[in-house]
Amino acid sequence: MKDPVEVLLEDDHESLGQLLTELDAEMAKPNIARAFELLDLFWARLAVHIRAEHLHLFPALTEAPASRFTGEGGLPTFEEAQSILARLRSDHDVFMRELALMMKAMGAMIGNQLANVEEVENWRQRLAKIADRLEAHNLLEEHQAYTWPTLLFDQPKLAALLARIAHELKNLPPRFAK
């Protein structure tokens, strides 16, 4: 059975995936203004998700006793865990960098009433590459890092971790306050 930390983060992955699908559909039209709004929201939501992992999940996993990472029972060795976490952090850097470039380009297109359809399609293709990498990244998180807390921590530590992550996921920039 999945623990609440795993469920919360996987649900957020699903929600982000739906947002990415909606963004792609608007770029395909191309509805640049709406696509830019969705891109901004996706970028912010992904940043919040990443922040929750970087501030709470990854440090908790890194600070767990190395001796607990036995390489058995669903846990990797400590070295394997550190390698996976480094790869996830690297992916996060790529996502944020690529989305920042896309925000800048799409923002410039909004001011241009005659946005170049070819340029929009090029950015849509870049978005597809980001989506592919994000899908592989999410699978690694869901099948590895998200399963470890329940194997490493007692119930009080899991509950505290869940509360901190849930708080971060709700902490969107003020421009998205409803």
Side-chain angles (χ1 to χ4, degrees), residues 59-72:
L61 296 173
T62 299
E63 293 165 8
S67 61
R68 301 286 315 268
F69 289 90
T70 60
E72 299 173 357

Side-chain angles (χ1 to χ4, degrees), residues 83-167:
S83 177
I84 290 168
L85 293 175
R87 177 176 166 198
L88 295 173
R89 285 182 184 104
S90 176
D91 282 349
H92 291 165
D93 292 343
V94 170
F95 299 142
M96 290 296 99
R97 186 174 50 251
E98 284 295 310
L99 291 170
L101 290 171
M102 194 169 180
M103 283 291 295
K104 184 176 180 180
M106 294 285 290
M109 282 186 230
I110 287 178
N112 179 1
Q113 297 296 339
L114 301 172
N116 182 329
V117 175
E118 186 176 310
E119 183 181 7
V120 174
E121 185 56 30
N122 286 340
W123 281 104
R124 186 170 175 237
Q125 294 305 314
R126 278 180 84 164
L127 182 65
K129 289 178 184 174
I130 292 168
D132 288 345
R133 185 167 182 173
L134 186 59
E135 184 177 338
H137 171 90
N138 289 350
L139 287 174
L140 181 60
E141 285 182 332
E142 292 170 8
H143 292 107
Q144 294 287 326
Y146 291 0
T147 67
W148 302 340
T150 194
L151 301 172
L152 293 169
F153 307 129
D154 61 17
Q155 205 53 43
K157 182 150 179 137
L158 275 173
L161 181 60
L162 175 65
R164 290 191 309 272
I165 290 171
H167 173 77

Side-chain angles (χ1 to χ4, degrees), residues 26-105:
E26 292 301 323
M27 289 181 76
K29 289 180 181 177
N31 182 349
I32 303 303
R34 180 67 179 141
F36 182 76
E37 290 173 3
L38 291 170
L39 176 62
D40 187 33
L41 179 58
F42 177 75
W43 187 37
R45 289 268 323 278
L46 185 60
V48 165
H49 181 95
I50 289 170
R51 183 178 62 212
E53 292 175 347
H54 282 242
L55 291 179
H56 305 294
L57 178 63
F58 293 175
L61 296 173
T62 299
E63 293 165 8
S67 61
R68 301 286 315 268
F69 289 90
T70 60
E72 299 173 357
L75 285 170
T77 66
F78 185 74
E79 293 76 21
E80 291 168 336
Q82 295 311 305
S83 177
I84 290 168
L85 293 175
R87 177 176 166 198
L88 295 173
R89 285 182 184 104
S90 176
D91 282 349
H92 291 165
D93 292 343
V94 170
F95 299 142
M96 290 296 99
R97 186 174 50 251
E98 284 295 310
L99 291 170
L101 290 171
M102 194 169 180
M103 283 291 295
K104 184 176 180 180

